[in-house]
């Protein structure tokens, strides 16, 4: 049966998909707008330190204005809040869904499917009540008819061993795979950052030894690399 029943993100409640999508989109927007904001500030600093302000006054003012717009956009749309709250809600819904499918507390088999369904919807309603601000932000709408999917009902109807096999493959193994991928990604980012910093240190020593007038440029370049890489890490 394990080969016939496959669980994907589309098999979880509609609220899970909405929260997951909102979180992923907010994360991308947060990183894009913050990176753009930092780059604009660094470019403005570079212009102030290296060019005649009377010649670059319009460009400098335009960039400062752009940074204000970016900062206001980040504050107004609350990307960070949507990102973290959406992820927390999505994971809470997924956990509830697995409990429902596995007939574990509070959705034990002794309750009967009708009572378990009602209890599951009640828990989702409770979650929405706790995170009302998030669903108002993303325009979430709740419908009890679309929250318990056919695949969730199929898994719940299986015997204990079959449910256990599905849980091991599509819950435990998927989580282990996700954490492993995140760990490897973070490690590679740290490695790249270390290599960048090492390169800059060597370049700085080269400039000092040979008395080259590039200290300001190196400092700015270092700032750009460290800030952007740190932001994306």
């Amino acid at each position: 049966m394990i080969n016939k029943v496959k669980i994907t993100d589309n098999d979880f409640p509609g609220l899970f998909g909405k929260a997951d999508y909102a979180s992923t989109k907010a994360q991308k927007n947060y990183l894009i707008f913050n990176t753009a904001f930092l780059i604009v500030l660094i470019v403005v600093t570079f212009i102030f330190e290296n060019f005649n302000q009377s010649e670059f006054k319009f460009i400098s003012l335009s960039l400062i204005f752009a940074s204000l717009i970016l900062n206001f956009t980040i504050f107004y749309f609350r990307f960070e809040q949507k990102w973290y709250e959406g992820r927390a809600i999505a994971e809470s819904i997924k956990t509830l869904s697995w409990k429902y499918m596995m007939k574990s507390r509070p959705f034990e088999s002794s309750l009967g499917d009708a009572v378990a369904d009602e209890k599951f919807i009640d828990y989702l309603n409770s979650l929405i009540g706790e995170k009302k601000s998030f669903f108002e932000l993303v325009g979430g709408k709740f419908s009890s008819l679309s929250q318990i999917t056919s695949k969730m009902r199929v898994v719940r109807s299986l015997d204990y061993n079959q449910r256990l096999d599905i849980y091991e493959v599509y819950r435990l193994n998927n989580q282990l795979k996700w954490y492993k991928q995140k760990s490897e990604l973070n490690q590679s980012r740290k490695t790249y950052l270390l290599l960048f910093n090492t390169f800059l240190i060597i370049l700085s020593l080269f400039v000092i030894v040979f008395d080259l007038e590039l200290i300001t440029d190196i400092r700015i370049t270092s700032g750009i690399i460290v800030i952007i890489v740190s932001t994306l890490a």
Side-chain angles (χ1 to χ4, degrees), residues 15 18 22 82 132-142:
L15 279 177
K18 195 164 190 68
K82 289 183 183 179
K132 187 177 179 179
S133 61
F134 171 80
F135 287 100
E136 288 176 347
L137 281 174
V138 301
K141 294 182 180 179
F142 180 74

Side-chain angles (χ1 to χ4, degrees), residues 111-230:
L111 294 176
D113 289 342
V115 177
D117 289 0
E118 184 178 348
K119 204 167 187 178
F120 182 79
I121 298 300
D122 287 342
Y123 268 85
L124 291 184
N125 274 315
S126 177
L127 181 62
I128 292 173
E130 293 174 1
K131 300 293 184 181
K132 187 177 179 179
S133 61
F134 171 80
F135 287 100
E136 288 176 347
L137 281 174
V138 301
K141 294 182 180 179
F142 180 74
S143 170
S144 61
L145 298 177
S146 62
Q147 301 309 319
I148 302 177
T149 64
S150 58
K151 189 65 67 69
M152 289 170 62
R153 296 186 189 280
V154 168
V155 174
R156 183 176 172 83
S157 69
L158 301 176
D159 62 43
Y160 175 78
N161 289 329
Q162 289 174 321
R163 295 199 308 273
L164 192 63
D165 288 340
I166 291 173
Y167 186 82
E168 180 181 357
V169 173
Y170 295 106
R171 179 60 166 170
L172 296 181
N173 289 353
N174 280 357
Q175 281 188 315
L176 289 173
K177 182 180 178 180
W178 185 85
Y179 283 117
K180 182 180 179 181
Q181 289 175 339
K182 285 294 181 181
S183 176
E184 291 175 349
L185 179 61
N186 289 334
Q187 186 59 47
S188 66
R189 285 175 174 173
K190 289 178 181 178
T191 301
Y192 288 134
L193 182 58
L194 176 62
L195 291 174
F196 273 127
N197 286 336
T198 301
F199 168 75
L200 291 171
I201 291 171
I202 294 174
L203 186 58
S204 298
L205 290 174
F206 181 85
V207 169
I208 293 171
V209 170
F210 290 94
D211 195 26
L212 300 178
E213 297 180 357
L214 296 174
I215 299 298
T216 299
D217 293 338
I218 290 174
R219 185 174 68 250
I220 294 172
T221 304
S222 176
I224 294 173
I225 294 173
V226 171
I227 291 174
I228 294 177
V229 175
S230 298

Side-chain angles (χ1 to χ4, degrees), residues 15-16 19-20 22-24 80-96 127 130-131 134-135 171:
L15 279 177
F16 166 81
D20 183 64
S23 176
T24 302
E80 188 174 15
Q81 180 184 346
K82 289 183 183 179
W83 172 12
Y84 289 120
E85 285 196 356
R87 179 51 46 209
I89 292 169
E91 290 306 315
S92 295
I93 294 173
K94 181 176 282 190
T95 297
L96 279 175
L127 181 62
E130 293 174 1
K131 300 293 184 181
F134 171 80
F135 287 100
R171 179 60 166 170

